[in-house]
Amino acid sequence: MTEDRSFLFLLGSARAGGNTEMLARRAAKELPRRVKQRWIRTSELPLAPFVDRKHDGEDFVPPAGNERALFDATMAATDLVIASPVYWYSVSASVKLYFDHWAAWLDQPELRFKEQMRGKTLWGVSALAEQPEQAEPLIGTLRKTAGYLGMHWGGQLLGNGSRPGDVLLDEDALKAAETFFAGADLVRA
Ligand SMILES: Cc1cc2nc3c(=O)[nH]c(=O)nc-3n(C[C@H](O)[C@H](O)[C@H](O)COP(=O)(O)O)c2cc1C
């Protein structure tokens, strides 16, 4: 039996149509048509501030509203693409908040979050204005998060730019985008 892959692109920029999104869309163009794509802007499904309830003796509140929508979209995907600009060397605040909510999902056994995350693939796509080295903490965050959840690490696509559209002048990034997802074995046995 084979199962086609389903990609969730999480757009974490604090603006629409920026360099990260352009680069992610360029890479996604190469995905075969049978591979499902879902695109979500974190700004369109804002999450409540994260509250750490792990040790307060209260019951966890199961995800509802935007949090539920993000949970369901995450569960439905085989591949999660974190398309976050580099903000202060790391992921944007809205992406970090999404990851913080994972901590609560992990603590609710009935959600079976960890079991369902295992075996999915995590990818990163990011634009940044300065040198690529500035993305090292971001890449480390994504790689370690993938490892913690037993996910595969797909890799990181980086592009340079400040103003929206700058990344379209980064020829190396555009070339890398063409084959970024090509390494994935896009049908699972
Ligand atoms: C809050 C903030 C923090 C940033 N931090 C960095 C940084 O640490 N390193 C860097 O190279 N660029 C940094 N930048 C520049 C952005 O990465 C760059 O403008 C990028 O193109 C934004 O992506 P977007 O067009 O997808 O929104 C920062 C921009 C903002 C708004």
Side-chain angles (χ1 to χ4, degrees), residues 74-98:
T74 306
M75 293 300 96
T78 59
D79 292 78
L80 175 57
V81 185
I82 299 295
S84 169
V86 176
Y87 280 177
W88 297 109
Y89 318 104
S90 191
V91 292
S92 66
S94 62
V95 168
K96 178 60 167 47
L97 182 59
Y98 166 69

Side-chain angles (χ1 to χ4, degrees), residues 108-120:
Q108 298 173 74
E110 60 282 9
L111 295 178
R112 298 179 52 250
F113 181 65
K114 192 156 190 180
E115 293 136 85
Q116 294 189 76
M117 292 305 277
R118 180 175 297 282
K120 296 184 195 292

Side-chain angles (χ1 to χ4, degrees), residues 38-107:
R38 180 152 183 213
W39 293 73
I40 295 180
R41 289 183 203 287
T42 52
S43 58
E44 286 169 359
L45 287 178
L47 288 166
F50 173 68
V51 178
D52 183 359
R53 299 202 156 89
K54 193 178 175 76
H55 302 109
D56 68 3
E58 301 291 322
D59 285 342
F60 277 97
V61 183
N66 289 347
E67 187 186 345
R68 183 82 216 185
L70 278 171
F71 176 81
D72 289 343
T74 306
M75 293 300 96
T78 59
D79 292 78
L80 175 57
V81 185
I82 299 295
S84 169
V86 176
Y87 280 177
W88 297 109
Y89 318 104
S90 191
V91 292
S92 66
S94 62
V95 168
K96 178 60 167 47
L97 182 59
Y98 166 69
F99 285 148
D100 285 355
H101 280 271
W102 285 19
W105 300 350
L106 275 166
D107 281 329

